[in-house]
Amino acid sequence: METETIIRTDYAEVMQKSYIDYAMSVIVSRALPDVRDGLKPVQRRTLYDMYELGIRYDRPYRKCARIVGDTMGKYHPHGDSSIYDALVVMAQDFKKGQALVDGHGNFGSIEGDGAAAMRYTEARLEKITQEVYLADLDKNVIDFVPNFDETEKEPQVLPVRIPNLLVNGAEGIAVGMATSIPPHNLGEVVDAVKAYMKNENITTKGLMRYLKGPDFPTGGIVVNQDELLKIYETGSGKIRIRGRVEVEQGKNGKQNLVITEIPYTMIGANIGKFLNDVAALVETKKTTDIMDISNQSSKEGIRIVLELRRGADVENLKNLLYKKTKLEDTFGVNMLAVAQCRPETLGLKEIIEHHVDFQFELCTRKYQTLLAKEVERKEVQEGLIKACDVIDLIIEILRGSKNQVQVKECLVSGTTKGIKFKSKTSETMAKMLNFTERQATAILEMRLYKLIGLEVEALLKEHETTLANIARYEKILNEYDCMAQVIMDDLDAIKKTYARKRKTSIENAEEIVLEEKKIEEVEVVFLMDRFGYAKIMDKAIYDRNKEAADADNKYIFTCMNTDKICIFTNQGKMHTIKVLDIPTKKLRDKGVPIDNLSNFSSQQERPLMIMSMEQVKSSSLLFVTKQSMVKVVEGCEFDVTKRTIAATKLAQEDEVLFVGVSDYSEFVVLQSEKGYFLRFLVQEVPLKKKGAIGVRGMRLAESDTLTGAYLLESSKEYTAQYGEKQVNLNRLKLSKRDSKGTKQRS
């Protein structure tokens, strides 16, 4: 019986090796494109599977579910959603510089609508995919490797004849790295490749005479032309893109701003966000020039119309949109790809170098395969021509032989044993035959009609063509310039057939200088009802409707429109909202949920006290938690620029029960769940920083918690409910902080 050996290894070493193996697997086999064909494995496998299934551009569409299932079963066992998502993106011409899949059905929209389920949609290969990405697979131009279960063979890389990494760009997130490459114009990319092939010492600046910059399918304007050279030299940087805005004449002498092209980064949900951002500019009175906004986009293209008031400052409004919305955005460039089985950040010239090297490799293997076939064909043709000259002898050999083996031996080596000849002369001539094995096989398979005169002439012409092809292929393989010319001619043909006019303009634009109108400072009223809906109301309107407004709302206070609203919550946080960000409404208008404006972290977070920042800064605030921790904090500590801060430190599983202004109060009363009440002086609560946890207010019994906290002024009467009993808080025994309190009967 074999004995087992336990190998002791440091846990950190095992984890490090395992994580590195996992990371490299994700980087090389999942997330990053190969520099040679510009495709991720899932894209490559999907296209190859469509090619294998015969779903060509000139054949009927097939259900996407069939394509996805076949790809997953044969090549990509990582779930159907990743395959279908890749298939959908390759069919979306608004995402790819050159769509690779011809989709039939709902494949989503530029506004972020998702594609229909794969059981409804159909697809087939685009013509360019078949002719430029998948051609020559039968000519041994690339290596095939076993699939995941070694039952099929899949291509290691596709024989793509254009730099797809540049034409279609790429996006991918791996482990510890990500790639983001913008799409480019096919015609310009071809010109840049040809320029490099003519002069390998050309600089990136020289290449950019042909390839001006990115060409996004959504159009737009690249406005930092001078920064592009550095981006293409280093392979990383930021491209600034603006949407294209046109001014059209509207009705009644008014003008309309029409957005006809959007930044590439606005594709999807960001179009809806842009519309919301414009509406917010109007609601917060950042602009009064926009009367209405409508999205009139269709299959013909983007068309977002902003109707302006008469006399609107169009240029300033454009600048406002560029500055405050996604109409101007940045595209982060990181040209990371897998080159020679390792991830590398590549510049423009390096990508083209890798592509050209790959093309020479493809061309070499292609013409070596073609040459071998032509040499084989030449051998057969020469044998047939020679056979035509001695056809009578061959027929005599055939008639005098007992089997095919005898005939073949005679044709190849002149062996006449066992063959009957009509004369000794024929036998002597037969002994002189020396056809090759391949020639002998072709002669035996030759049909009699090939002996017709015209057929013999056709054979001779075919032989001449074969000799010419051999000479041409040998020249291509032996002369660098000749092979380079073949590649360039191929690129010219691709450009002529598939190149399109550039959509994205490239220029240098000045930085946006926005002249924001100074906001007129006015006093307004903040109102929030018991359901958490907040709004701002003009003070004059509030004064006229004070009684009705007071009856309907829980929080009411005056503040300046330039102030902030502070919201203290049970989770010990303080959220701030600009008053200008809260919509101004009429008395009967519904407000907006306060938790939407302040981005509460969870549904359990709720407001305990709401005040204006000016009120907070001039106050001292008492904090009381459920576990009976108390402290007073000076309000000036909360005057910060951040939207959300920690207002107090909390113990584990504790939460804030009460926040109140302690400046005008004399006593604090704490109420516990088990009916204990403790009244003590406010002065006994120490002044602490907002980052402190505080001191104990009431000495709680085991499993008891606070359920109420009250600030009392000596001149007023206060009561609290405990069970069915009303407790007069002013008459409670005055005790010291950190004592047990008085038990009340319910």
Side-chain angles (χ1 to χ4, degrees), residues 139 363-379 438 465-478:
K139 295 183 176 66
C363 215
T364 301
R365 291 180 65 163
K366 175 183 175 180
Y367 284 103
Q368 282 175 344
T369 303
L370 290 175
L371 179 61
K373 285 182 179 179
E374 289 296 324
V375 168
E376 184 181 316
R377 190 177 287 118
K378 175 193 169 204
E379 181 184 337
R438 187 175 286 116
T465 305
T466 301
L467 291 174
N469 285 341
I470 290 171
R472 178 169 170 263
Y473 296 158
E474 286 177 341
K475 186 176 182 183
I476 291 170
L477 289 167
N478 295 330

Side-chain angles (χ1 to χ4, degrees), residues 460-509:
L460 291 168
K461 285 182 180 177
E462 190 181 327
H463 183 56
E464 288 176 11
T465 305
T466 301
L467 291 174
N469 285 341
I470 290 171
R472 178 169 170 263
Y473 296 158
E474 286 177 341
K475 186 176 182 183
I476 291 170
L477 289 167
N478 295 330
E479 296 181 20
Y480 174 89
D481 290 343
C482 192
M483 186 177 286
Q485 191 59 50
V486 168
I487 295 170
M488 287 193 283
D489 290 345
D490 201 22
L491 287 171
D492 283 335
I494 293 168
K495 178 184 173 182
K496 185 177 179 181
T497 308
Y498 299 109
R500 299 288 181 268
K501 191 178 176 183
R502 165 175 277 280
K503 291 181 178 179
T504 303
S505 303
I506 296 178
E507 58 187 55
N508 281 314

Side-chain angles (χ1 to χ4, degrees), residues 488-532:
M488 287 193 283
D489 290 345
D490 201 22
L491 287 171
D492 283 335
I494 293 168
K495 178 184 173 182
K496 185 177 179 181
T497 308
Y498 299 109
R500 299 288 181 268
K501 191 178 176 183
R502 165 175 277 280
K503 291 181 178 179
T504 303
S505 303
I506 296 178
E507 58 187 55
N508 281 314
E510 295 180 4
E511 188 73 30
I512 295 294
V513 178
L514 185 61
E515 296 178 11
E516 293 194 57
K517 295 177 182 176
K518 193 173 180 181
I519 299 166
E520 185 183 349
E521 199 170 5
V522 293
E523 195 173 32
V524 293
V525 181
F526 171 85
L527 301 99
M528 191 181 92
D529 64 22
R530 58 195 175 92
F531 300 109

Side-chain angles (χ1 to χ4, degrees), residues 721-739:
Q721 190 77 25
Y722 176 62
E724 296 179 359
K725 182 181 177 183
Q726 287 280 340
V727 179
N728 191 317
L729 301 180
N730 301 73
R731 295 181 183 178
L732 291 170
K733 177 187 173 184
L734 184 63
S735 303
K736 292 289 184 182
R737 180 185 62 77
D738 198 20
S739 55

Side-chain angles (χ1 to χ4, degrees), residues 283 527-537 552-553 582-597:
E283 282 187 4
L527 301 99
M528 191 181 92
D529 64 22
R530 58 195 175 92
F531 300 109
Y533 286 85
K535 61 188 174 186
I536 295 296
M537 188 182 289
D552 292 341
N553 291 284
I582 305 171
T584 302
K585 303 280 186 179
K586 295 178 182 176
L587 178 66
R588 297 299 172 195
D589 290 345
K590 196 174 185 180
V592 293
I594 196 73
D595 50 352
N596 287 1
L597 292 169

Side-chain angles (χ1 to χ4, degrees), residues 373-387 435-436 438-443 459 463:
K373 285 182 179 179
E374 289 296 324
V375 168
E376 184 181 316
R377 190 177 287 118
K378 175 193 169 204
E379 181 184 337
V380 170
Q381 289 167 351
E382 287 176 344
L384 292 176
I385 292 167
K386 184 178 172 185
F435 291 99
T436 65
R438 187 175 286 116
Q439 288 173 339
T441 302
I443 291 166
L459 178 62
H463 183 56

